[in-house]
Amino acid sequence: MAGNTLPFKSNYAVSSKIEPFYKGGKVQISQDEQYIFCTCGPRVNILQIDTGKIIHSIEQDDQEDITSFSLSPDDEILVTASRALLLKQWDWKQEKCTRSWRAIHNVPVASMTFDCTSTLLATGGCDGTIKLWDVVKQYCTHNLKGSSGVVHLVEFHPDISRLQLFSSSVDCGIRIWDLRTSKCICVLESHYSAVTSLAFSPDGQTLISSGRDKICSVWDLKKKAVKRTVPVYEAVEGVVVLPGKSDYSQMGVKGEGLHFVTAGSKGVLRVWDSSSARCVFTQTLPDAPALNTEEADLDPRSLMHLLPMPQSNRLATVTAEHNILIYQMPALTVQQQFVGYNDDILDVKFLGKDDTHIVVATNSSQLKVFELATNSCQILYGHTDTILSIDVFRKGSMFASCAKDKSLRLWKMDLKSGHVHCVAQGSGHSNAVGSVACSRLKKGFLVSGSQDCTIKMWDLPDPLPDVGCEPVLMTARLTERAHDKDVNSVTISPNDKLLASGSQDRTAKLWSLADMSLLGIFRGHSRGVWCVQFSPVDQVLATASADGSIKIWSIQEFSCLRTFEGHDASVLKVIFVSRGTQLVSSGSDGLVKLWTIKTNECVKTFDAHQDKVWALHGSSKDDLMVTGSADSTITLWKECEMKQSKLCFVLHVIHAIINEDGIQELEKTLLKLRQDQKESVLRFSVVWNTNSRSCLDAQAVLQVLLTHLSPEEILQYQGTRTHLEGLIPYTERHMQRIGRLLQASMFLDYMWQKMRITGGQTLKPVPHSHRLTSGVTHCQWTRTISINKNQPLRRESAQTSR
């Protein structure tokens, strides 16, 4: 441990987060090509391309979903449309709404765009009308009627002197509007399904349109007629015209004619010659398996948007899985990749020599490797079903994954380039493989645990294949039927001699890796065991269970040494930190807890997730940890010293006042404080409320402050809204716990009455108020009833399943 590291950890702080920033809809790149704008429910998120960070988030006050938006060509004005039928104009750099007005459309706006002068804004509605707005003088200039159904595409002609607007609706035609007369001068008809994209030639005389009818049409805008129909054999979502000045010979461009790029359901970029209607180049994806053409329309890698970046000679694509990829032309090499939405995070591990990357398993068949410095991501293909578990070898350049497709794979990272490729694969289980563990001392073997109730040991191939070679096949050296139900977790001891397994059958088992012989069974959990973990120092094993508890076991005597209770639901993961003297756990209650083993104490509870925290891992230097949740959020935590001397002192004073003098004296004391002191006590109460041991003192303080201070006075305190919002989730949990306690006390009343009827030992009933505040009373009740009935009571908890 580093010299400046505390012997015991006392606190972690959120260092960074990888959160969902795009869940479908429109994507736009700023004119200076530094930012990506994309929708995410009621927000427009602004991603800085260089850093991969969300630097601004424009959010609707009414929390209505944004249906469309547009950024002006000068990158100054952002206009959003929501389901509330409002248009809002934003100074997006300040995240400030500068103007709001009704859209006049009777139904939500489906599309919008600016003209090249950043003056006119066109909005296409679901009511079949198009409205034009002067955003400078702030009035509606045109109301264009005649389209049938939803107007999903509007585009100004790049030559503003023409004053023409192009639109398309569900009738599959392309309407050309003369803005001088507000009339439709022509309808271009060639497509038989929705028109998805329009692209103009540099001289403005030619238009290329794409559609889901698997054709692209090349239009002569002078004659207003189709020059050529190009069959592309895929549903096309985006089309971009290649500029004529650059050399694109690497992309098959040999002449000076008009060439364009298409993106669609096949998931690859293709270059077409408009004069010959031939495909001159097809992108290859070396790391991805070949697509089945018949099922390509359903492939998650289908491309939904294609965006030009002419200043840097790049292209950006958006996939059906909400991934944004930036390609450098003409080689079409992936320069950056951002994941807009991760779905459920099932596992995450640090990767790389200095933990520079993390590898993530989500509710999909692809692995995602994030570079922590830039949030740029590499997607790894290979598995064909949901990946359930990952484990990393000691030096961090190799890792293994397992999935529902009954297979496991071995991956290797090139430490110089950061590129990851698959080097080996193995199959042999008859059901989903739920857990995998890597050897600790040498890169010699793997162990997998499956829902077929077996454990398999796999030898690694030697030597490993080079980059670009096909993965070699691994075969299982040993197979053992280990449990009566699903094997949820396997882990290998630091000396590579022992294996522990945890199962849905409520037991954990210890095995000798030499011959896979069973050494002992750990019994004591009342629900399935989700995670097992060896201590890095002591000869003990930690288990986390769906019964809400964590247990520390002696691996010599197979006895339980410690039990930690504090989670309100299943404990899904547990790891050792601080050289085996502390634990960190994560659960279905969305909480992460830090425990000190010696004192059996929960040091700190962290609440940064809104759903089950499936993934938890510590860095090699023991100063960072990463968590992943079903809320699609990955959180990176950094160890920090808890600044709590003043916090603890004030809590001690308040606790003493309540115990010695009562609530009335506390009320008098608090009301005598200055405003800044009351503000500090309110802020402290939010922290106290996160811990069940101090929540009663926090609630007493809150009762006094909220009762005697007016809402106007409280709102004058700095950060009041944030503090009050932070109180809500924990207060709800405390109320739920008290509710369960009340139900338990009523059950004890019922049992007492039954015991009187059957002639059992008479017990004196305890008032409800005492039961809700005294855990000792409940223990005495439980012990007495257990003696009388010889049936110990057990707490039931809902069992979660993966």
Side-chain angles (χ1 to χ4, degrees), residues 378-562:
Q378 179 187 348
I379 295 181
L380 307 180
Y381 298 94
H383 288 287
T384 58
D385 206 340
T386 302
I387 298 168
L388 299 177
S389 180
I390 310 166
D391 197 25
V392 181
F393 284 94
R394 185 176 178 183
K395 292 186 178 180
S397 62
M398 288 177 56
F399 64 95
S401 62
C402 59
K404 285 185 178 180
D405 61 7
K406 309 173 189 177
S407 74
L408 63 157
R409 284 178 173 260
L410 183 66
W411 309 81
K412 185 176 182 180
M413 169 186 271
D414 185 331
L415 294 178
K416 291 183 179 180
S417 66
H419 183 77
V420 180
H421 63 283
C422 181
V423 294
Q425 59 183 337
S427 58
H429 284 287
S430 60
N431 209 330
V433 186
S435 182
V436 64
C438 300
S439 55
R440 300 304 174 201
L441 296 180
K442 301 178 181 178
K443 297 178 182 177
F445 62 93
L446 300 171
V447 175
S448 60
S450 168
Q451 291 179 12
D452 62 10
C453 308
T454 67
I455 293 173
K456 290 180 182 288
M457 182 185 291
W458 310 76
D459 287 324
L460 268 59
D462 188 21
L464 294 171
D466 296 328
V467 177
C469 298
E470 286 294 317
V472 297
L473 294 178
M474 297 186 296
T475 55
R477 172 158 55 97
L478 290 172
T479 300
E480 183 72 27
R481 181 173 176 83
H483 290 273
D484 296 330
K485 292 185 179 180
D486 300 356
V487 179
N488 291 331
S489 177
V490 290
T491 186
I492 296 172
S493 63
N495 61 3
D496 279 351
K497 293 183 178 180
L498 301 175
L499 169 73
S501 61
S503 168
Q504 209 65 31
D505 64 8
R506 300 181 290 182
T507 67
K509 294 185 179 182
L510 188 68
W511 309 82
S512 170
L513 281 171
D515 56 0
M516 250 348 186
S517 59
L518 180 63
L519 301 178
I521 302 176
F522 304 96
R523 291 188 174 94
H525 286 294
S526 59
R527 290 290 180 269
V529 177
W530 277 116
C531 182
V532 290
Q533 198 71 244
F534 281 105
S535 167
V537 177
D538 300 316
Q539 294 188 15
V540 297
L541 180 76
T543 58
S545 169
D547 62 13
S549 71
I550 305 160
K551 291 181 181 291
I552 300 288
W553 308 82
S554 166
I555 62 175
Q556 294 179 336
E557 300 175 357
F558 302 99
S559 58
C560 181
L561 305 177
R562 290 276 194 278

Side-chain angles (χ1 to χ4, degrees), residues 535-609:
S535 167
V537 177
D538 300 316
Q539 294 188 15
V540 297
L541 180 76
T543 58
S545 169
D547 62 13
S549 71
I550 305 160
K551 291 181 181 291
I552 300 288
W553 308 82
S554 166
I555 62 175
Q556 294 179 336
E557 300 175 357
F558 302 99
S559 58
C560 181
L561 305 177
R562 290 276 194 278
T563 298
F564 303 87
E565 292 185 331
H567 285 279
D568 291 335
S570 299
V571 185
L572 301 175
K573 278 285 170 68
V574 62
I575 61 171
F576 284 90
V577 294
S578 305
R579 290 188 175 179
T581 59
Q582 291 181 295
L583 297 170
V584 178
S585 61
S586 64
S588 294
D589 51 10
L591 300 178
V592 177
K593 290 179 178 286
L594 173 65
W595 310 82
T596 297
I597 296 175
K598 185 176 181 180
T599 61
N600 242 75
E601 177 188 16
C602 178
V603 179
K604 186 76 173 176
T605 298
F606 309 100
D607 186 9
H609 293 285

Side-chain angles (χ1 to χ4, degrees), residues 2 102 146 318 468 781:
R102 291 200 65 80
V318 182
W781 277 78

Side-chain angles (χ1 to χ4, degrees), residues 50-209:
D50 289 342
T51 64
K53 307 291 185 183
I54 300 296
I55 59 166
H56 298 293
S57 186
I58 308 299
E59 187 167 4
Q60 296 283 123
D61 293 335
D62 53 14
Q63 294 297 307
E64 291 284 346
D65 283 355
I66 292 175
T67 57
S68 186
F69 73 90
S70 187
L71 177 69
S72 61
D74 60 6
D75 291 342
E76 293 296 327
I77 301 173
L78 176 71
V79 177
T80 61
S82 71
R83 294 189 181 277
L85 308 183
L86 287 176
L87 293 174
K88 291 192 174 184
Q89 183 173 320
W90 301 83
D91 178 354
W92 61 271
K93 295 175 183 177
Q94 302 295 326
E95 298 186 16
K96 181 181 178 182
C97 179
T98 58
R99 183 186 168 217
S100 177
W101 70 98
R102 291 200 65 80
I104 307 179
H105 293 279
N106 298 323
V107 287
V109 173
S111 58
M112 66 169 67
T113 188
F114 273 95
D115 75 336
C116 60
T117 66
S118 302
T119 303
L120 286 178
L121 174 72
T123 58
C126 296
D127 55 3
T129 66
I130 302 169
K131 317 231 183 266
L132 271 72
W133 311 84
D134 189 321
V135 296
V136 177
K137 297 181 180 179
Q138 302 183 359
Y139 70 99
C140 180
T141 62
H142 298 74
N143 185 14
L144 308 179
K145 299 180 179 179
S147 302
S148 59
V150 177
V151 181
H152 59 265
L153 183 62
V154 287
E155 197 74 46
F156 284 97
H157 193 283
D159 184 359
I160 192 61
S161 62
R162 292 197 181 197
L163 283 178
Q164 288 182 346
L165 179 73
F166 292 71
S167 69
S168 183
S169 60
V170 295
D171 60 5
C172 307
I174 303 171
R175 284 179 165 76
I176 305 177
W177 303 86
D178 186 343
L179 301 184
R180 294 182 177 87
T181 62
S182 298
K183 292 183 179 180
C184 177
I185 58 176
C186 181
V187 179
L188 306 179
E189 295 181 333
S190 172
H191 292 279
Y192 295 95
S193 69
V195 177
T196 55
S197 181
L198 301 176
F200 295 90
S201 62
D203 60 7
Q205 301 299 325
T206 304
L207 171 71
I208 298 175
S209 61

